[in-house]
Amino acid sequence: MIIYKTEEEIELIRASAKVLAQAHGEVAGMIKEGITTRALDQRAEEFIRDHGGQPSFKGYNGFEYSLCISPNSVVVHGFPSDYQLKSGDIVSVDCGVLLNGYHADSAYTYPVGEVVPEVLKLLEETKKSLYLGIEQAVAGNRMGDLGYAIQNHVEKQGYGVVRELVGHGIGQKLHERPEVPNYGKRGAGLKLQAGLVLAIEPMVNLGTKSVIQEKDGWTIRTKDFKPSAHFEHTVVVRKDKAEILTSFEYIEKALQ
């Protein structure tokens, strides 16, 4: 069942999204050579709890951490660890916040130190594809319009769009219907209606679209071990223009 949100519910998600955006900003300010991904996770959890929220991911189907931290060829669901970021890495940080009974979810991929231009372009084009997808999250459009906008843009750059993992509805549950693929055909799929809240999250690989799951049962990596980028916003479908509830504002301030 697809659950359309009332304005009151959207405001509750917006409140979660603000704490989430600020938590991302805290993490962004720590990303540098030598920092462990575990330290990033600890800071995010501390900040979220200090602001009255809970980390959405911690305990989700047995996941033990507050952040999914995915460096280089890890697409998503990477475990925080004692791995120290080094110059040339990229690292995706995916975070969710539960506050007042409602979740928000977003992700951002960072360059660390001196990253080669080819990989910086992957980040830039994946982020751009997120906003192209969001532009299609308007009442009356189809889910395929959203997926096509992302797929068409990144495949023109020669990148691979992951098929096995998709975005999702979000609200009182972290993952709700419908699924939000990052690929599709224009005019196909679910007709979007106002009040639908979606986590839109392109996962784009420098090389092949194919991925593998590691033995831990969580970590998803590119099959060819080339880098992957991941950006995500929580968005409300509206009549004329999609509304983005999450924000990269605090990230961008921290990176200045």
Side-chain angles (χ1 to χ4, degrees):
M1 183 177 71
I2 294 173
I3 303 169
Y4 297 91
K5 307 304 187 291
T6 65
E7 290 303 318
E8 291 77 12
E9 289 178 304
I10 290 166
E11 289 307 309
L12 291 169
I13 298 171
R14 192 191 310 279
S16 300
K18 184 169 184 181
V19 174
L20 173 57
Q22 293 170 330
H24 268 295
E26 290 290 311
V27 170
M30 295 173 66
I31 289 181
K32 61 184 179 182
E33 296 172 53
I35 193 82
T36 66
T37 58
R38 191 185 307 279
L40 303 178
D41 181 70
Q42 289 169 345
R43 179 60 188 136
E45 179 172 3
E46 179 182 69
F47 183 90
I48 292 165
R49 294 194 187 279
D50 283 351
H51 288 77
Q54 298 174 47
S56 297
F57 300 169
K58 193 158 191 175
Y60 184 83
N61 290 339
F63 192 77
E64 297 180 6
Y65 307 97
S66 298
L67 300 178
C68 295
I69 303 183
S70 306
N72 301 319
S73 64
V74 179
V75 180
V76 285
H77 303 163
F79 291 172
S81 70
D82 293 327
Y83 177 77
Q84 294 182 332
L85 297 178
K86 61 184 188 299
S87 183
D89 283 348
I90 61 170
V91 59
S92 164
V93 176
D94 191 359
C95 186
V97 167
L98 173 63
L99 182 70
N100 298 322
Y102 286 82
H103 295 270
D105 190 4
S106 68
Y108 197 94
T109 304
Y110 299 88
V112 182
E114 295 296 320
V115 175
V116 298
E118 180 185 37
V119 176
L120 287 176
K121 183 172 171 59
L122 170 69
L123 269 56
E124 177 187 337
E125 300 299 343
T126 302
K127 186 177 179 184
K128 192 180 295 182
S129 78
L130 169 62
Y131 290 100
L132 291 171
I134 290 170
E135 284 178 7
Q136 298 300 315
V138 175
N141 281 0
R142 299 275 179 176
M143 192 67 79
D145 298 325
L146 195 162
Y148 175 83
I150 294 169
Q151 179 184 9
N152 183 57
H153 178 75
V154 298
E155 287 186 348
K156 279 182 177 176
Q157 317 296 325
Y159 304 142
V161 180
V162 174
R163 301 299 201 274
E164 291 85 351
L165 300 145
V166 296
H168 50 92
I170 187 168
Q172 289 184 304
K173 294 183 178 178
L174 178 60
H175 291 104
E176 298 182 353
R177 291 189 63 199
E179 291 190 342
V180 185
N182 299 303
Y183 55 92
K185 294 182 180 179
R186 285 183 291 190
L190 175 74
K191 188 173 184 179
L192 303 179
Q193 296 182 39
L196 182 61
V197 180
L198 303 173
I200 301 173
E201 50 177 324
M203 290 156 268
V204 178
N205 302 340
L206 186 63
T208 178
K209 66 180 184 292
S210 300
V211 297
I212 55 174
Q213 186 176 58
E214 295 195 342
K215 290 179 181 178
D216 61 28
W218 283 99
T219 306
I220 305 293
R221 184 183 293 280
T222 57
K223 193 171 184 179
D224 59 9
F225 286 84
K226 290 185 177 180
S228 182
H230 176 211
F231 290 86
E232 177 182 19
H233 271 313
T234 297
V235 174
V236 188
V237 175
R238 297 290 196 186
K239 188 182 286 185
D240 299 312
K241 183 181 179 182
E243 181 183 5
I244 303 172
L245 296 179
T246 45
S247 173
F248 294 153
E249 171 191 1
Y250 298 94
I251 293 172
E252 288 159 1
K253 282 182 182 176
L255 295 178
Q256 285 176 355

